[in-house]
């Protein structure tokens, strides 16, 4: 089978999504499938195919569209800056995907709502499309904005146009896919609430290549810690949604009772300096070690005694499974998909999300009981080995692929089939244009014109009429 894995986001720097795509690609290739990966290259601002000389200059196309998407003609794009940013970013992605080519694949597997909808919109000939929904875009956006506006409440945010816009994109993405893969029951429920029938939703938890994990864990740790202190660890982004500030707040409380610990914080992000300042204000800066991005988390976990995932929202973090495979029963926030990964007191521990006091109590419990940590850590490893196999995930994914291909063949046979929401007529926006017409008028002879003309649908237009009215839903 010839398969394309696609993400709207940065390809090799997007944390869990990159881990998922890379592991799945490697495993499918081992089984004889031809797999191509498409995504954005952040530094060069291109859309590209990994390990190929095929790329699309996003910046140049963006600058071409920008003057023609003015607020007088298209005011709905300017209700909030984030809406305009995402919409023009999607139009650039759509053109890039069309130029890089979609029709030579047996199946396309998109990794987010934005790329799922975008790919369906630019397909001239229908290719089976599977979508993995790894998160909840509208809900995640709330935490991103709250990190900037600390007083923002969910109620206030949900009254803003940007919330309605993200919900519309999630809905369009969910209905654009033939079948949907989710890693947790929590995400599956959210997709169902978007109007997707349960038969199109397949729950398949993430797996890890156990052989590769064990090989990396056997290597020397990139971080050497001494002093005989207990080691607490977190690995991930330093962003508000990840709740690292909750962990540091809990460590400030722990410090009042005992000081025989150190916390290793692996990662990077926009809140790094704020987190350092928070630690200094609590007087625990000497107990925190910010080590940056590490290329070998499994080896580093061999030195850890406790792992904490304090996220305000997370689906099925790979870091939690990696901790379990290291023989650590992780502490996770009791929200979204994380409680599905542990059994409290047996294979992990759950504390109320955003509750530094509750987290501090669990940290003190585990710091003071070596036997409890060892026993629950052993049970956590056994569970992860049994339930988080990459082989199981890959085989389950292939079953969904085959079902999607069969579903597509059924449609081609003329027996009817479900009419997806994105295929219904949406009309057109006055002043909307086909990109090939625009480029042809402003730069005659532009070599991109015939490519866009041949690969984009004739009725494709910018702006997208299906986004109209999102703020009135």
């Amino acid at each position: 089978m010839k398969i394309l894995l696609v993400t709207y986001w940065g390809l090799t720097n997007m944390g869990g999504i990159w881990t998922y795509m890379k592991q799945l690609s490697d495993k499918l290739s081992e089984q004889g499938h031809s797999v191509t990966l498409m995504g954005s290259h952040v530094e060069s601002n291109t859309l590209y195919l990994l390990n190929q000389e095929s790329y699309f200059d996003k910046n140049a196309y963006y600058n071409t569209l920008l003057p023609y998407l003015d607020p007088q003609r298209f005011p709905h794009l300017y209700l909030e800056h984030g809406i305009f940013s995402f919409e023009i970013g999607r139009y650039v992605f759509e053109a890039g995907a069309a130029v890089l080519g979609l029709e030579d694949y047996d199946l396309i597997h998109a990794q987010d709502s934005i790329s799922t909808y975008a790919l369906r919109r630019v397909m001239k000939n229908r290719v089976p499309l599977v979508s993995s929904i790894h998160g909840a875009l509208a809900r995640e956006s709330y935490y991103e904005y709250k990190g900037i506006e600390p007083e923002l409440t969910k109620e206030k945010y949900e009254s803003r146009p940007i919330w309605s816009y993200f919900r519309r994109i999630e809905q369009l993405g969910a209905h654009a896919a033939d079948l949907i893969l989710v890693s947790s029951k929590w995400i599956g429920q959210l997709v169902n609430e978007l109007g997707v029938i349960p038969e199109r939703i397949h729950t398949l938890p993430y797996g890890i290549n156990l052989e590769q994990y064990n090989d990396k864990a056997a290597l020397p740790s990139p971080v050497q810690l001494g002093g005989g202190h207990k080691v607490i660890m977190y690995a991930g982004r330093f962003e508000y949604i990840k709740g690292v500030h909750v962990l540091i707040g809990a460590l400030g409380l722990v410090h009042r009772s005992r000081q025989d610990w150190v916390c290793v914080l692996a990662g990077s992000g926009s809140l790094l300096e704020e987190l350092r300042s928070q630690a200094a204000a609590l007087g625990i800066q000497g107990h925190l070690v910010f080590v940056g991005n590490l290329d070998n988390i499994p080896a580093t976990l061999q030195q850890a005694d406790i792992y904490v995932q304090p996220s305000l929202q997370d689906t099925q973090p790979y870091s939690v499974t990696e901790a379990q495979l290291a023989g650590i029963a992780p502490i996770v926030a009791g929200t979204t998909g994380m409680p599905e990964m542990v059994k409290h007191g047996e294979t992990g521990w759950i504390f109320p999300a955003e509750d530094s006091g509750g987290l501090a109590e669990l940290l003190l419990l585990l710091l003071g009981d070596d036997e409890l940590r060892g026993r629950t850590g052993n049970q956590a490893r056994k569970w992860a080995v049994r339930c988080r196999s990459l082989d199981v995930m890959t085989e389950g994914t292939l079953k969904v692929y085959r079902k999607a291909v069969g579903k597509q063949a059924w449609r081609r046979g003329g027996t009817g089939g479900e009419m997806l929401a994105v295929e219904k007529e949406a009309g057109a926006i006055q002043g909307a244009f086909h990109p090939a017409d625009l480029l042809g008028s402003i730069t005659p002879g532009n070599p991109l014109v015939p490519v866009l003309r041949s690969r984009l649908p004739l009725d494709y237009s910018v702006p997208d009429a299906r986004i109209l009215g999102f703020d009135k839903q």
Side-chain angles (χ1 to χ4, degrees), residues 60-269:
Y61 190 74
Y62 176 97
N63 289 333
T64 298
L65 290 183
L66 187 59
Y68 298 91
L69 296 174
D70 59 89
Q72 286 71 37
R73 288 198 296 170
F74 310 117
H76 69 287
L77 297 178
Y78 291 85
L79 294 173
E80 289 198 42
H81 173 73
I83 295 170
F84 179 80
S85 177
F86 269 90
E87 272 300 273
I88 193 169
R90 178 165 65 84
Y91 302 150
V92 171
F93 176 88
E94 288 171 349
V99 169
L100 293 176
L102 302 175
E103 296 183 359
D104 292 335
Y105 299 97
D106 299 311
L107 178 133
I108 299 175
H109 183 177
Q111 305 300 316
D112 52 84
S113 299
I114 300 173
S115 64
T116 304
Y117 175 53
L119 293 172
R120 181 64 80 203
R121 204 165 96 87
V122 299
M123 284 183 188
K124 288 191 72 172
N125 298 310
R126 191 183 184 97
V127 178
L129 179 61
V130 171
S131 178
S132 277
I133 307 298
H134 296 289
L137 181 61
R139 289 167 173 80
E140 288 169 14
S141 70
Y142 161 68
Y143 291 110
E144 295 295 331
Y145 277 85
K146 188 171 176 61
I148 302 170
E149 307 170 39
E151 301 303 316
L152 185 65
T153 64
K154 281 188 177 180
E155 291 75 17
K156 186 175 180 181
Y157 185 66
E158 289 174 8
S159 69
R160 287 166 56 167
I162 190 72
W163 162 266
S164 299
Y165 169 77
F166 284 134
R167 288 289 289 173
R168 179 62 172 155
I169 288 294
E170 287 182 318
Q171 181 187 49
L172 289 167
H175 286 274
D178 293 298
L179 296 173
I180 295 173
L181 278 166
V182 296
S183 62
S184 69
K185 295 176 183 177
W186 171 70
I187 284 288
Q189 178 60 37
L190 294 183
V191 174
N192 181 243
E193 290 172 3
L194 293 170
V196 178
I197 59 174
E199 289 75 16
R200 289 179 52 223
I201 304 169
H202 298 263
T203 304
L204 189 62
Y206 299 140
I208 283 185
N209 188 314
L210 300 179
E211 183 178 347
Q212 288 183 5
Y213 179 93
N214 292 332
D215 288 345
K216 293 187 75 171
L219 296 172
S221 171
V223 177
Q224 297 300 321
L225 299 169
H229 290 335
K230 296 287 194 303
V231 176
I232 302 165
M233 187 172 170
Y234 163 82
R237 293 180 291 134
F238 298 154
E239 304 296 344
Y240 186 83
I241 194 171
K242 290 297 184 179
V244 187
H245 59 285
V246 178
L247 170 57
I248 292 178
L251 294 172
L253 298 174
V254 170
H255 186 256
R256 299 175 185 176
S257 300
R258 57 191 304 163
Q259 297 81 45
D260 59 337
W261 55 269
V262 64
C263 182
V264 174
L265 299 165
S268 61

Side-chain angles (χ1 to χ4, degrees), residues 426-454:
I429 299 175
Q430 184 175 2
F433 52 86
H434 193 289
D437 294 336
L438 174 66
L439 284 173
S441 65
I442 62 177
T443 56
N446 188 322
L448 195 56
V449 171
V451 179
L452 292 176
R453 182 79 66 199
S454 64

